[in-house]
Amino acid sequence: MKIVQALHEASRRLAYAADRPRLEAEVLMAHHLGCDRMRLFLREGEELNDEARFFELVSRRERHEPIEYIVEKVGFYSEEFY
């Protein structure tokens, strides 16, 4: 599965658990790939490695676990805290 397809599927699955499903899907994907969200746009056509691990993160969010717990960081006034 390509990254863009995985993002679409994750957005669909998060539609009931998140106010901004596409944004949260991108945050989870960036965390999974170890890159920032901007870099995702350059990598959309690539194959997704370890697809099961990514969808495990999505499943955690579907169960309403805070995204900050999943990615283990939170932004606050342009600062990141871990």
Side-chain angles (χ1 to χ4, degrees):
M1 172 181 285
K2 295 199 181 294
I3 290 173
V4 69
Q5 294 167 319
L7 285 171
H8 179 72
E9 175 64 18
S11 297
R12 187 189 64 74
R13 287 176 52 178
L14 292 174
Y16 301 104
D19 292 331
R20 300 174 293 177
R22 177 63 186 212
L23 172 66
E24 293 197 14
E26 290 173 1
V27 169
L28 292 172
M29 181 65 77
H31 173 72
H32 175 70
L33 296 175
C35 67
D36 59 32
R37 282 184 50 233
M38 291 293 112
R39 194 145 322 261
L40 288 180
F41 297 108
L42 300 173
R43 299 182 67 180
E44 282 185 337
E46 293 179 18
E47 288 294 320
L48 177 61
N49 294 326
D50 201 2
E51 185 178 317
R53 174 71 181 122
F54 171 66
F55 284 108
E56 181 181 309
L57 299 175
V58 173
S59 293
R60 288 174 62 185
R61 185 64 187 117
E62 279 182 295
R63 292 188 303 270
H64 300 282
E65 183 175 344
I67 197 162
E68 295 84 5
Y69 290 10
I70 298 168
V71 299
E72 300 177 344
K73 66 180 174 182
V74 63
F76 184 73
Y77 284 104
S78 301
E79 298 290 329
E80 284 193 347
F81 298 93
Y82 299 87

